[in-house]
Amino acid sequence: MKAVIRLVGVLAIAAGLSTSTSAQWPKHASKNVPKSSSGEPNLNAPAPRTADGKPDLSGLWRGAGGLGRQGAPAPPPPSGPPVAGFRDVAANIKEGLPFTPWAQGVLKERVAGNSKDNPEAHCLPMGIMQFHTQGAPRKFIQTSDLLVILYEASSGIRQIFTDGRALPTVNDDLQPWYYGYSVGRWDGDTLVVESTGFREDGWLDIIGTPMTDAAKITERIRRPAFGKMEIDITVDDKKAYTKPWTVRVNQELMLDQELIEFICEENQRFGKQ
């Protein structure tokens, strides 16, 4: 049991490390990078666009100012939502989260157990919110009908369908997913992603902020500059919260690097003292 509890902390730290600390692939220069007058990469240049004029979200990204990085998380603009925390998603929400009594009890129980049942501690998928807030890189691959996100942490894979399909309904009788079922549509230069179909026992962060199968997650993804991405995430879960709430995650582009291999269960020692 002690080994499992320790593992939660170990994985939290490992998820925050950048690829620069443990390079696995030889460096390969990124293509089509705008340059300043001095010849340096200009990360403040306009975002690239696809053939149909939409912002191209493709690239290798990591949390701006997250774990394993120098400096504090980037503050939100005056009109923006609070920045999500990794250990505690509500760390920057002054008034806290609008828990239902049931959800407050679930969180209290998980914290009292030192978060030992966090799926990440057992090499299971950590869910959308934890993937957004942890510090390991993630690669966005964008086509006209599909956005794929490859997460270095736990080798996670997520699909967001942008081909015009609707979200599944209760009549579709789908098996619940850790990541849910995601569809996206463009609202100007913002990709609006809606996800449902989650498992009942979701974790939004390390401490155990709950999410249930009643949840609908809405992500508004923007690339305001070549090297910057903003994702506003709204959680609407009537079982766990009395009203919807929103946090932001800031991402920065990683140049000349690639994802490394992360196999969570390699050399695992579950059940051994």
Side-chain angles (χ1 to χ4, degrees):
M1 183 63 70
K2 291 182 179 178
V4 173
I5 295 173
R6 288 197 301 269
L7 183 60
V8 175
V10 170
L11 290 179
I13 294 171
L17 298 179
S18 71
T19 53
S20 62
T21 63
S22 181
Q24 187 170 3
W25 303 107
K27 279 199 172 183
H28 182 76
S30 301
K31 294 183 178 180
N32 304 317
V33 178
K35 301 295 180 63
S36 66
S37 57
S38 63
E40 297 296 319
N42 182 8
L43 299 182
N44 293 315
R49 293 185 178 268
T50 60
D52 59 0
K54 303 298 184 185
D56 190 351
L57 306 176
S58 299
L60 188 65
W61 300 88
R62 65 181 164 196
L67 289 172
R69 305 279 296 146
Q70 293 184 352
S79 60
V83 173
F86 175 57
R87 180 182 177 277
D88 177 1
V89 70
N92 296 310
I93 300 178
K94 293 181 180 179
E95 65 276 17
L97 293 178
F99 291 108
T100 62
W102 171 85
Q104 187 71 67
V106 169
L107 177 59
K108 183 178 180 180
E109 181 179 349
R110 290 175 174 177
V111 171
N114 292 319
S115 304
K116 63 181 176 60
D117 294 322
N118 189 306
E120 185 189 9
H122 301 273
C123 289
L124 294 172
M126 64 181 75
I128 288 178
M129 186 70 78
Q130 278 190 253
F131 267 136
H132 273 318
T133 57
Q134 56 81 34
R138 68 291 318 265
K139 176 182 281 191
F140 282 59
I141 303 172
Q142 181 176 332
T143 73
S144 58
D145 292 334
L146 181 68
L147 175 65
V148 176
I149 308 177
L150 305 178
Y151 298 95
E152 182 176 293
S154 302
S155 299
I157 301 174
R158 185 176 171 210
Q159 298 184 88
I160 298 171
F161 300 100
T162 56
D163 55 2
R165 71 183 68 185
L167 281 170
T169 68
V170 293
N171 296 326
D172 292 315
D173 193 27
L174 294 179
Q175 178 178 338
W177 291 5
Y178 281 97
Y179 309 144
Y181 192 97
S182 301
V183 300
R185 59 178 175 80
W186 287 97
D187 179 11
D189 286 346
T190 299
L191 181 63
V192 180
V193 179
E194 297 178 316
S195 302
T196 57
F198 296 101
R199 292 167 54 95
E200 169 67 15
D201 54 351
W203 290 55
L204 293 176
D205 50 25
I206 291 296
I207 63 172
T209 301
M211 187 181 75
T212 76
D213 57 0
K216 181 178 182 179
I217 302 292
T218 302
E219 300 154 281
R220 298 183 64 86
I221 307 175
R222 299 177 295 276
R223 188 176 183 176
F226 183 82
K228 181 180 181 181
M229 183 185 292
E230 298 172 344
I231 307 176
D232 290 347
I233 309 165
T234 299
V235 177
D236 186 357
D237 185 345
K238 292 179 174 57
K239 283 187 181 180
Y241 306 99
T242 59
K243 61 181 180 180
W245 51 274
T246 302
V247 289
R248 171 170 292 178
V249 292
N250 296 300
Q251 306 284 307
E252 61 185 12
L253 189 66
M254 300 176 68
L255 297 178
D256 307 335
Q257 298 192 54
E258 261 300 349
L259 297 178
I260 65 172
E261 190 174 73
F262 184 117
I263 307 302
C264 182
E265 290 189 334
E266 185 175 14
N267 296 321
Q268 61 88 5
R269 295 292 185 269
F270 295 160
K272 297 185 179 181
Q273 298 298 324

